[in-house]
Amino acid sequence: MDVVTVGPEEIRSAVSMPAAIDAVREGFLALRRGEFEMPTRTALRDGAFLVMSTHHRPTASAMIKTLSLNFTDRVPAIVGTVVWSELGHGRHLVADAAEVTRLRTGAIVGVATDLLAPAEARTCTLIGAGGQAADQVRAVHAVRPLAELKVVDHSLDRADALAKALGAELRIDTVLAVADADEAVHGVDIVCCATTSTTPLFSPTSLTANAHVNAIGAFRPTMRELPDELLAEATVVIDEREAILEEAGEIIHALKTGAITEDDLVELGDALAEGTGERAGRTVFKSVGVAMQDWAIASLLAQTFLDQAK
């Protein structure tokens, strides 16, 4: 058996954000067509260890990702491996899971933002300046070129450093670090939430009438970034129903309080199939992450690195 190992720098050099967005978009349409066998991920030690797997029937390829997560005592917080294999040959690809996770989580935000955010959107607030944060902005910028970025974090110094770094990298004209989330989301077109919060981050009254909100931080039932009031009045698009109902704290909470019903939730694959169109009012995209996203990035890596290894 031949094993090709791919590290973070190689992943970044091989897969651009636009390519990642395209791959994840096509992956969700394929998921809708039933091309994937994808069990709900296994969470151990209350989400400290995660195992995700999927099989793509048309290509007879499979991906397994294992992660350990520690957001309080360790840097990096996310550590693990992505393993790609195919029935047609014995070569395996092993990639750094933290980098794949950052890239695919950003990519799905790019897909959702491109679908749901107003075409003229140019301003964004990012809440959270941790490991997943930068790729949220890179992905948004890829589909809605930004003129202004605000970053909120419990550490204003960390928010300022990230805002300046992204401003220089993406050539965003105005970048600001802001201490208060409600102040930061006021008047902006797009809000990205990437935190481990257990309580809502802002009041919906602070949002513009047509704001688009991405929420990718909460991945356990005890976590929650968005208020019930926002979910009740917005168009809510989710990555995958089964995963969301088991893991997304804000969705679970809103269902329990009666703020929303399951019928209010639209899967991303269905929304993509319906097309863009004009959506009145606020939109929300909620993701806990599914294995198909990792498969989509791993497939691009396999095309590059396994082909080279032939």
Side-chain angles (χ1 to χ4, degrees):
M1 178 180 71
D2 296 327
V3 178
V4 176
T5 302
V6 184
E9 292 184 1
E10 293 171 302
I11 292 169
R12 287 290 170 172
S13 66
V15 182
S16 68
M17 183 57 76
I21 291 170
D22 288 343
V24 169
R25 181 188 291 111
E26 290 305 312
F28 271 96
L29 289 169
L31 181 65
R32 182 178 184 269
R33 294 193 297 267
E35 294 182 7
F36 286 92
E37 179 183 1
M38 191 174 70
T40 302
R41 67 181 165 200
T42 300
L44 306 172
R45 197 179 174 90
D46 194 29
F49 298 95
L50 300 176
V51 181
M52 305 172 70
S53 61
T54 191
H55 160 230
H56 186 232
R57 296 182 178 93
T59 58
S61 60
M63 186 286 314
I64 299 175
K65 181 171 80 170
T66 59
L67 293 177
S68 68
L69 300 92
N70 184 338
F71 293 101
T72 56
D73 302 321
R74 188 180 71 192
V75 176
I78 299 176
V79 176
T81 58
V82 167
V83 179
W84 166 278
S85 60
E86 299 175 44
L87 287 180
H89 58 72
R91 297 186 306 278
H92 280 56
L93 181 139
V94 179
D96 178 78
E99 202 66 32
V100 170
T101 299
R102 281 190 283 267
L103 191 54
R104 62 84 143 156
T105 305
I108 195 173
V109 163
V111 173
T113 301
D114 195 29
L115 179 70
L116 300 170
E120 67 279 6
R122 294 294 179 267
T123 58
C124 177
T125 290
L126 170 67
I127 305 178
Q132 302 298 314
D135 278 317
Q136 308 301 297
V137 178
R138 293 181 181 120
V140 168
H141 188 68
V143 298
R144 296 291 188 274
L146 295 173
E148 180 180 288
L149 171 67
K150 300 176 186 177
V151 180
V152 181
D153 192 77
H154 58 81
S155 166
L156 198 58
D157 288 341
R158 186 165 76 157
D160 185 60
L162 180 59
K164 288 177 178 175
L166 288 169
E169 175 189 336
L170 303 176
R171 299 181 180 179
I172 300 172
D173 293 336
T174 303
V175 294
L176 301 166
V178 183
D180 182 75
D182 281 292
E183 176 187 342
V185 303
H186 181 74
V188 303
D189 303 314
I190 300 165
V191 177
C192 293
C193 305
T195 76
T196 57
S197 180
T198 57
T199 56
L201 299 171
F202 55 83
S203 168
T205 59
S206 301
L207 296 170
T208 63
N210 294 310
H212 171 64
V213 179
N214 298 301
I216 61 91
F219 63 94
R220 300 300 298 148
T222 54
M223 302 166 74
R224 191 170 164 226
E225 293 185 303
L226 305 180
D228 287 355
E229 296 85 354
L230 173 60
L231 296 171
E233 54 95 12
T235 297
V236 181
V237 177
I238 58 174
D239 50 11
E240 197 266 340
R241 187 174 300 272
E242 186 176 356
I244 286 290
L245 293 178
E246 183 168 321
E247 298 180 331
E250 50 265 281
I251 300 296
I252 293 170
H253 187 276
L255 288 168
K256 284 182 178 178
T257 63
I260 61 171
T261 69
E262 289 189 32
D263 290 340
D264 294 320
L265 306 175
V266 181
E267 288 192 328
L268 181 57
D270 291 336
L272 288 168
E274 292 170 5
T276 52
E278 289 296 325
R279 289 180 171 83
R282 295 166 181 161
T283 55
V284 167
F285 175 63
K286 174 58 195 172
S287 174
V288 293
V290 295
M292 182 282 298
Q293 297 166 242
D294 301 290
W295 176 93
I297 303 303
S299 69
L300 297 178
L301 296 174
Q303 291 168 27
T304 299
F305 294 101
L306 292 186
D307 285 348
Q308 291 177 359
K310 286 183 178 178

